[in-house]
Amino acid sequence: MQLRYMSIMLILLQTVTCDNVLIWPAEASHWINLKPVIEELIKRGHDVTVAVHTAALYINYSEPSPMKFEVFAVPFTSDMYKDFLKSFLHFWIYEKPNLSFWDGYGRFTKLIGTATKLNRQTCDGIIKNHKLLQKLQESKFRVLLSDPVSHCGELLAIKLGIPFIFTLRFSFGSALERLCGQIPAPPSYVPATMSEFSDKMTFAERLQNILYMNMYSLMYNNFWHEWDSYYSEALGKPITFCEAIGKAEIWLIRTYWDFEFPRPFLPNFVFVGGLHCRPAKPLSQTLPFQYRLVQIAKEVQHLLQIEGCQSINPSRKNTFGEFI
């Protein structure tokens, strides 16, 4: 099994040969996190193609780019998609903290239902586009890189007969990882994602953590059942949504192992924190005020390091005003 995982990684990392890589992206910050990976693949000589729908918000497929785009139509507009994202963020930031457990669960379920509807329409746009599928088949892609937050990437990979890799930070309640990726998550000491618990829980918090995990499992299983028949019809054979998700060769987890609470992991779950990070660029001197603020901060930090907070001479006249 380890050899199999290594062979898949070599497809992404090798620099000697040029391979075709297909990308199934998600929106917003998920795309921002994925772009550095795509740029590195292109730098290493790979041909990267991004499957993108016409209502995409962050993926500008009309501008010149080293990556290729396969654009397919969807029945909703970018404004409709933007409205959904706004309502979801508004709920999570402003509404959820003031709602009871069951009211929050009901509201969240409705939002996930809307997301599933949009996701299914996106999936229809490519899976039922036989001309585009034929073109993708003839392109002979070696691997598909997908963000499982946006379903259908795994279905596309299975239809094309190629392996696929997930890049993920987490799913709500770790439902995808637990139920489909088969990662162990004992609720007695593994806090449900977004529960705001730590690994040091009281007995009452552990009971509540079990409730959270079961809530996410129940909710997602209800929505996933709708995908079971869809995936089976698309592939022409019985298959469940979770079974398709579980076929991922590698799960690239976008964080560091030591940032996580202690928990068991499987060999194909690989931590890749920092993939989206880049060295800071020098601040442009065409922004004099901002540039000067940075210089001030550096000078103050230098003074504190040399003299110490307690040993700075109070008779000194150096002030922020003098620095400016």
Side-chain angles (χ1 to χ4, degrees):
M1 291 295 288
Q2 290 291 343
L3 182 60
R4 187 183 183 190
Y5 300 144
M6 287 300 295
S7 65
I8 298 298
M9 287 300 293
L10 284 174
I11 291 176
L12 288 180
L13 300 177
Q14 62 183 324
T15 59
V16 178
T17 60
C18 176
D19 287 311
N20 291 336
V21 180
L22 182 60
I23 307 292
W24 181 263
E27 272 290 353
S29 60
H30 299 268
W31 170 247
I32 295 172
N33 278 281
L34 190 57
K35 277 187 70 177
V37 180
I38 296 175
E39 292 167 357
E40 184 64 26
L41 288 171
I42 294 173
K43 188 188 301 183
R44 291 171 181 259
H46 300 288
D47 290 328
V48 177
T49 301
V50 181
V52 55
H53 57 77
T54 52
L57 297 175
Y58 285 75
I59 308 174
N60 193 342
Y61 53 82
S62 60
E63 290 186 350
S65 172
M67 65 187 84
K68 302 173 185 176
F69 294 101
E70 287 295 345
V71 184
F72 57 94
V74 290
F76 55 90
T77 65
S78 57
D79 287 337
M80 293 169 62
Y81 199 71
K82 186 187 297 183
D83 289 342
F84 164 72
L85 290 179
K86 283 183 177 179
S87 62
F88 187 88
L89 290 174
H90 187 273
F91 160 74
W92 202 261
I93 297 173
Y94 300 107
E95 297 179 33
K96 182 178 176 292
N98 302 315
L99 295 175
S100 67
F101 176 84
W102 292 113
D103 288 340
Y105 173 74
R107 178 85 172 100
F108 184 65
T109 301
K110 289 180 180 178
L111 288 169
I112 294 298
T114 303
T116 300
K117 181 181 178 181
L118 293 172
N119 209 161
R120 183 152 180 167
Q121 291 174 341
T122 303
C123 202
D124 284 342
I126 194 166
I127 295 299
K128 296 183 178 181
N129 188 334
H130 301 294
K131 184 178 179 180
L132 178 55
L133 280 179
Q134 181 64 30
K135 182 180 179 181
L136 295 176
Q137 192 77 52
E138 293 171 353
S139 298
K140 299 187 182 303
F141 291 102
R142 293 289 302 278
V143 68
L144 181 143
L145 180 62
S146 172
D147 191 319
V149 169
S150 178
H151 305 327
C152 204
E154 59 284 345
L155 176 59
L156 179 59
I158 295 172
K159 280 192 73 69
L160 297 177
I162 58 176
F164 60 96
I165 296 171
F166 282 146
T167 168
L168 176 72
R169 176 57 187 94
F170 60 80
S171 62
F172 288 104
S174 301
L176 280 174
E177 303 95 307
R178 290 187 296 111
L179 304 177
C180 304
Q182 300 300 310
I183 189 172
S188 58
Y189 69 92
V190 177
T193 308
M194 307 305 288
S195 67
E196 301 181 6
F197 292 145
S198 73
D199 59 328
K200 308 296 183 184
M201 292 179 280
T202 64
F203 179 73
E205 288 173 338
R206 292 182 185 187
L207 291 178
Q208 193 173 353
N209 191 52
I210 293 173
L211 182 62
Y212 274 133
M213 283 198 176
N214 287 331
M215 176 197 75
Y216 284 118
S217 299
L218 177 64
M219 179 185 64
Y220 278 111
N221 272 318
N222 287 336
F223 288 112
W224 291 347
H225 283 318
E226 301 177 15
W227 287 105
D228 291 347
S229 57
Y230 186 95
Y231 278 39
S232 298
E233 181 182 350
L235 296 175
K237 61 180 181 180
I239 189 173
T240 65
F241 172 83
C242 249
E243 185 181 349
I245 291 285
K247 292 181 181 294
E249 301 288 347
I250 300 175
W251 297 63
L252 302 177
I253 307 301
R254 298 193 303 263
T255 186
Y256 294 97
W257 175 85
D258 46 349
F259 283 173
E260 293 289 284
F261 293 119
R263 59 178 301 175
F265 283 96
L266 298 178
N268 63 330
F269 280 72
V270 182
F271 288 90
V272 291
L275 277 182
H276 58 289
C277 297
R278 288 291 181 271
K281 297 180 180 179
L283 188 63
S284 173
Q285 296 192 32
T286 58
L287 304 173
F289 179 70
Q290 292 90 333
Y291 181 79
R292 194 63 187 135
L293 282 179
V294 173
Q295 298 305 312
I296 292 170
K298 287 182 179 178
E299 292 174 13
V300 171
Q301 182 185 28
H302 181 66
L303 286 173
L304 293 177
Q305 288 175 342
I306 293 177
E307 303 183 37
C309 293
Q310 300 298 324
S311 60
I312 293 179
N313 188 341
S315 65
R316 291 180 67 103
K317 301 296 183 181
N318 292 336
T319 64
F320 284 112
E322 288 181 329
F323 281 126
I324 294 174

